[in-house]
Amino acid sequence: MSETTLERITIEPTIAAKACVIWLHGLGDSGAGFAPVVPALGLGNNHGIRFVFPHAPEQAVTINGGYVMRAWYDIKSMDLHDRADMAGVKQSEQQVLALIEEQINDGIPSENIVLAGFSQGGVMSLFTALRLPKKLAGIMALSCYLPSGDALPDGLADVNKTTPILQHHGIDDEVVPLNAGAVAHDLLLNAGFDTHWQTYPMGHSVLPEQLRDISVWLQTVLAHVK
């Protein structure tokens, strides 16, 4: 594997894959943390969706006392305006782009790819998708924020302006404040992006009810895939 190729867990459908969901985990987790959601989504036997759960590289994380863990970027402080190490964000962006290119080279067009993520992974899915010059099927950002704080990222591409964005957040989130997600949503909405915001009675986690909603959304944004 090259230095930009991430190790991952790949779950293939029972039929030939015609679409792909790339799902990025949160800080300190791994691809194994979200791989169990696939059967929980209840997509049936013939959905044709490949799920890819990459593992973030290991690095020291400042807010955790420099402890080394899987992270898409360093978190410097809890201040939303100075939380994300942007150099690290852009380095991980290149690795996520490489994953997308792998799928395209394997015969799945970008229009059949959903980029999803939770927490840090959601930050990366939003940041990467908003700057991506290729059309995606959908963008899912769970319990997260924009790495640029109260501004949209630089280098925005217009091609995903009409791509459905799903933003979920827990009203009792003790890790990423609800307001941080709401700020991202308002910025996207005001800029004309097709974003849907929904909150749940939870902390920094995922609920079974939420997975049912995600399943419906995924089937909707991939309904064109034949």
Side-chain angles (χ1 to χ4, degrees):
M1 287 189 175
S2 73
E3 61 180 20
T4 58
T5 303
L6 295 167
E7 295 181 354
R8 81 295 302 262
I9 293 170
T10 302
I11 300 177
E12 296 286 356
T14 55
I15 63 172
K18 299 174 184 175
C20 179
V21 175
I22 299 172
W23 196 315
L24 310 175
H25 64 77
L27 178 66
D29 199 0
S30 73
F34 274 98
V37 305
V38 177
L41 291 172
L43 296 171
N45 295 324
N46 299 310
H47 56 71
I49 304 169
R50 172 184 295 141
F51 283 83
V52 177
F53 299 94
H55 308 310
E58 292 188 339
Q59 60 178 290
V61 177
T62 301
I63 61 158
N64 288 340
Y67 190 81
V68 175
M69 61 183 64
R70 291 196 182 277
W72 296 108
Y73 52 87
D74 186 23
I75 298 180
K76 299 181 289 181
S77 76
M78 295 308 291
D79 179 2
L80 183 63
H81 303 284
D82 190 36
R83 177 176 289 203
D85 168 41
M86 289 306 296
V89 169
K90 290 182 177 179
Q91 186 174 1
S92 284
E93 177 190 27
Q94 293 305 309
Q95 295 178 307
V96 176
L97 290 175
L99 285 176
I100 293 171
E101 284 303 315
E102 276 185 34
Q103 297 305 315
I104 293 171
N105 292 338
D106 198 38
I108 295 178
S110 66
E111 295 91 341
N112 293 359
I113 297 174
V114 171
L115 190 55
F118 172 81
S119 195
Q120 260 205 352
V123 173
M124 288 309 310
S125 71
L126 266 184
F127 183 79
T128 304
L130 293 176
R131 290 157 47 93
L132 185 70
K134 295 178 180 177
K135 180 73 171 173
L136 292 171
I139 304 158
M140 186 165 64
L142 309 177
S143 303
C144 67
Y145 53 95
L146 282 169
S148 42
D150 55 3
L152 289 170
D154 58 11
L156 287 182
D158 288 335
V159 69
N160 284 302
K161 216 55 180 294
T162 58
T163 299
I165 302 174
L166 186 67
Q167 291 181 270
H168 285 177
H169 218 107
I171 57 175
D172 300 315
D173 195 321
E174 69 287 358
V175 176
V176 178
L178 178 66
N179 180 61
V183 166
H185 173 67
D186 289 343
L187 285 167
L188 290 167
L189 201 61
N190 292 335
F193 285 89
D194 179 15
T195 180
H196 173 73
W197 168 262
Q198 192 163 345
T199 59
Y200 294 84
M202 63 183 183
H204 197 62
S205 59
V206 176
L207 289 178
E209 170 196 353
Q210 184 185 4
L211 290 178
R212 288 193 292 272
D213 293 339
I214 289 171
S215 176
V216 171
W217 180 81
L218 277 177
Q219 292 177 74
T220 301
V221 300
L222 294 173
H224 66 281
V225 179
K226 303 299 181 186

